[in-house]
Amino acid sequence: FLTEWINRTLKEEHIVVKSLEEDLYDGLVLHHLLENLGSLKLDVDKIALTEKKQRQKLSVILEAVAKCLQLEESQLKWSVESILAKDLLSTLHLLVAIAKRFEPTLALPPNVQVETITIETTSRGLKTSNAVEYITENKENIEAQSKDDAFDELFSCAPDKLDAVKKALLQFVDQHVGKLGLNVKDIESQFSDGVILLLLIGQLEGYFLNLRNFFLTPASTMEMV
């Protein structure tokens, strides 16, 4: 499935992948894939012939992936060394993460799992431990996540508390966008065009949003979108 997806994505670049382990370890295909899917411009050479260059290239690529996925190093299920060593499990984890981030509509089969066997050398001999590792999401977990969240429960079970929650949210929004001289009185109408939401995110994350990137006073549905 992943091989077909990569080949379909990179068809115009005449790149054909036959083996995930053998064709992705040096970073060339990953480089093309990320630039194609995420419009990422990676500051590395397209072709890396030596192992040192390949390691450097993979380091840049995987750093960009972790940044896009907003993952800490401890959360990663792959590394430069494991991809370079043609580790299939690491390569699968990496590709699934890229697919979920850049092409979330891709219908990856759920519940794909493998049994891993870890062999350790101890003073008493070899010690083995077995574990089941999911490559794609556990369907039961997905279904559990799709059940009602706190807001769904609020609407259905405690509608009388809804006004209190809205009031608290309005105070929160007002506290932050008030610094820009704005006043929010109605969540439904004032959030519908996206402007307050963008400015709120900018205030919370502490960065400046270029006003040329969106319409500050949208006059049509298209401008709101």
Side-chain angles (χ1 to χ4, degrees):
F1 189 97
L2 288 168
T3 303
E4 287 175 3
W5 169 63
I6 293 170
N7 287 336
R8 190 167 63 247
T9 305
L10 300 180
K11 187 177 179 180
E12 290 185 9
E13 297 185 47
H14 307 292
I15 290 174
V16 178
V17 169
K18 292 181 180 178
S19 163
L20 294 179
E21 305 100 295
E22 295 295 332
D23 295 340
L24 272 79
Y25 80 95
D26 62 358
L28 176 65
V29 174
L30 286 171
H31 189 170
H32 281 274
L33 185 65
L34 285 168
E35 285 197 337
N36 193 291
L37 288 171
S39 301
L40 296 174
K41 292 297 173 192
L42 300 168
D43 190 22
V44 285
D45 295 332
K46 287 284 184 188
I47 298 173
L49 297 176
T50 65
E51 188 177 320
K52 184 182 177 183
K53 289 280 186 184
Q54 288 166 357
R55 187 175 272 104
Q56 288 173 345
K57 184 181 176 76
L58 277 172
S59 182
V60 172
I61 290 170
L62 298 186
E63 193 177 321
V65 170
K67 194 174 178 182
C68 285
L69 298 176
Q70 297 182 325
L71 292 175
E72 300 293 330
E73 195 171 339
S74 59
Q75 296 173 288
L76 301 178
K77 294 180 180 179
W78 57 83
S79 66
V80 171
E81 296 305 322
S82 64
I83 299 297
L84 201 58
K86 304 179 184 179
D87 182 276
L88 180 58
L89 194 57
S90 294
T91 305
L92 288 173
H93 278 308
L94 174 62
L95 289 174
V96 168
I98 290 171
K100 281 170 63 181
R101 168 64 179 82
F102 293 107
E103 210 162 319
T105 55
L106 199 67
L108 285 168
N111 298 333
V112 178
Q113 61 186 49
V114 293
E115 185 178 4
T116 59
I117 303 168
T118 307
I119 303 172
E120 231 179 312
T121 306
T122 67
S123 56
R124 295 182 180 180
L126 294 177
K127 178 186 173 185
T128 63
S129 57
N130 294 33
V132 172
E133 196 163 337
Y134 278 91
I135 304 295
T136 59
E137 285 182 305
N138 182 342
K139 200 171 184 181
E140 290 175 10
N141 289 348
I142 298 169
E143 287 170 356
Q145 288 168 12
S146 67
K147 288 179 181 175
D148 288 357
D149 63 14
F151 278 101
D152 290 320
E153 288 184 21
L154 185 66
F155 277 102
S156 59
C157 305
D160 53 309
K161 295 180 181 176
L162 188 59
D163 284 339
V165 174
K166 283 172 69 175
K167 187 178 178 182
L169 288 171
L170 275 173
Q171 287 173 347
F172 166 74
V173 174
D174 237 12
Q175 178 188 344
H176 293 283
V177 298
K179 298 168 188 173
L180 301 172
L182 298 169
N183 182 246
V184 179
K185 292 180 179 178
D186 185 81
I187 285 181
E188 289 94 331
S189 62
Q190 287 183 268
F191 268 82
S192 64
D193 62 8
V195 175
I196 296 290
L197 185 60
L198 281 171
L199 296 175
L200 176 64
I201 292 168
Q203 285 295 300
L204 294 173
E205 291 293 323
Y207 57 74
F208 174 72
L209 282 159
N210 194 323
L211 298 180
R212 289 180 299 178
N213 290 347
F214 68 101
F215 295 90
L216 196 58
T217 52
S220 67
T221 303
M222 185 59 72
E223 289 181 0
M224 292 178 191
V225 173

